[in-house]
Amino acid sequence: MRAVHVTEFGGPEVLRNVDLPDPAPGENQVLIEVDHAGINYADTHQAENTYLAPTRLPLVPGGEVVGRTVDGRRVLALLGSGGYAERAVAEPAMTFDVPDGVDDVTALSFVVQGTTAWLLLRKSAHLEPGETVVVHAAAGGVGSIAVQLAKAWGAGRVIATASSEDKRNLALELGADVAVDSRAQDMTAALREANDGKRVDIVLDMTGGTVTDQSVAALAPFGRLAFYGMASREQPKPVQLGNRLSHSTTIAGMWLPHAFGLPGNVYGTALKELFDLALNGKIRAVPGGEFGLSEARKAHEALRSRGTMGKLVLDPRR
């Protein structure tokens, strides 16, 4: 089968197109003929071995696919790796039937990025009706869904940040009340200005560095910052517990795999609710572009440049 192969750690240049043997499913595993694979920012970290979980070589990247099983079921699956290929193997517990009316891009938008947005707002930030929510990178895969969920769940004001006018316009189309340039030199002041001079209740952040530090400074008493990535590859300042105490603010980290073992099938509940919201026209996926297998390197370059919007997918048939 055709696949993307990584044999040394690095940037997009380490992604190579090769022919590999078909994966052999183990007992009770599911073999999937891949129609589309999702492309996530985490894939770029996996390729350079800077992800939260260590990467082992050799590697076929890709943690999510939609396609058909041997018996013809149309399924969505989460994988540890192996998605950038014509065929992939998944565990039954991480394989989900895709409802009629949900297209491939929507399904792939929800399996990681949609559930991440759901968990950030529900479990990490505990959004309450009327609160002000800041969504950084609001035109991206997680951000574009988080903007819509925050509005659907009663946020009083949603402030989106993005780096270009096109991205800010997209965030406004998705329901954001205000859109702020993410390149603002003083993000604290920019967020307060966007909130009529008041501090904000919730910030969803995957940027890191100065943006995170200045976003924490913009929090109101009992405000929460939910941190789920570091696209800038810059560490924020160390957390000073005394500062959190004196300002009554919370910083929460969130990594999606920790949701898989939660009691009550929280992950499955999130995915089902997202499907229902989409089928009822309450939220929508934002297609960010389709790449062929031979264009995986180009896709990673686009992601790292932070010039993309919405959900990127890979078609292993071309």
Side-chain angles (χ1 to χ4, degrees):
M1 68 172 185
R2 297 173 63 241
V4 173
H5 206 220
V6 175
T7 57
E8 60 179 319
F9 294 124
E13 73 281 354
V14 304
L15 304 181
R16 297 171 50 244
N17 292 100
V18 300
D19 288 318
L20 294 176
D22 287 354
E27 187 177 358
N28 296 324
Q29 288 186 315
V30 180
L31 179 66
I32 300 171
E33 192 80 21
V34 178
D35 291 326
H36 287 98
I39 303 172
N40 289 310
Y41 202 89
D43 300 344
T44 70
H45 283 290
Q46 194 177 47
E48 64 182 13
N49 200 25
T50 58
Y51 195 46
L52 288 172
T55 305
R56 293 183 179 180
L57 296 176
L59 166 74
V60 174
E64 56 189 47
V65 298
V66 63
R68 297 277 178 180
T69 62
V70 175
D71 58 2
R73 291 168 55 213
R74 181 167 171 254
V75 297
L76 176 67
L78 272 174
L79 321 168
S81 60
Y84 291 12
E86 292 182 300
R87 292 167 201 87
V89 169
E91 298 295 330
M94 290 288 100
T95 304
F96 309 90
D97 290 314
V98 181
D100 293 338
V102 174
D103 61 50
D104 285 3
V105 173
T106 299
L108 290 169
S109 294
F110 290 170
V111 70
V112 168
Q113 291 157 323
T115 53
T116 294
W118 191 100
L119 287 158
L120 287 167
L121 289 168
R122 279 274 166 86
K123 298 290 288 182
S124 299
H126 301 284
L127 170 64
E128 296 181 7
E131 290 190 311
T132 298
V133 179
V134 175
V135 181
H136 286 307
V142 174
S144 60
I145 297 171
V147 166
Q148 298 176 79
L149 285 179
K151 292 300 290 187
W153 291 342
R157 177 173 294 190
V158 175
I159 301 169
T161 79
S163 60
S164 71
E165 185 175 357
D166 285 346
K167 290 183 176 183
R168 292 191 289 275
N169 285 338
L170 172 62
L172 293 171
E173 290 172 15
L174 294 172
D177 298 286
V178 188
V180 172
D181 192 333
S182 62
R183 299 165 298 181
Q185 288 192 341
D186 187 341
M187 184 58 71
T188 303
L191 295 180
R192 293 190 65 173
E193 181 180 354
N195 197 33
D196 293 336
K198 301 189 293 277
R199 294 179 179 274
V200 302
D201 299 304
I202 292 171
V203 177
L204 308 186
D205 178 40
M206 52 81 68
T207 305
T210 302
V211 169
T212 302
D213 297 330
Q214 294 182 349
S215 297
V216 170
L219 290 173
F222 298 100
R224 292 86 73 199
L225 182 140
F227 189 69
Y228 66 101
M230 199 156 52
S232 70
R233 287 168 164 78
E234 295 178 4
Q235 289 281 353
K237 291 178 182 177
V239 174
Q240 300 294 327
L241 293 181
N243 289 340
R244 306 286 66 76
L245 177 65
S246 61
H247 293 90
S248 296
T249 53
T250 299
I251 299 174
M254 203 287 284
W255 187 38
L256 183 63
H258 288 144
F260 301 155
L262 289 175
N265 190 23
V266 169
Y267 177 83
T269 298
L271 191 57
K272 182 183 184 304
E273 185 170 346
L274 290 165
F275 283 149
D276 289 343
L277 287 167
L279 290 170
N280 290 322
K282 299 293 181 62
I283 63 173
R284 65 180 177 90
V286 177
E290 181 176 298
F291 296 81
L293 199 68
S294 60
E295 300 173 304
R297 183 179 300 185
K298 180 180 176 182
H300 277 219
E301 289 169 348
L303 272 178
R304 290 174 67 111
S305 74
R306 299 176 69 184
T308 63
M309 293 192 286
K311 181 62 181 177
L312 276 60
V313 299
L314 183 147
D315 183 350
R317 297 162 294 194
R318 64 180 183 87

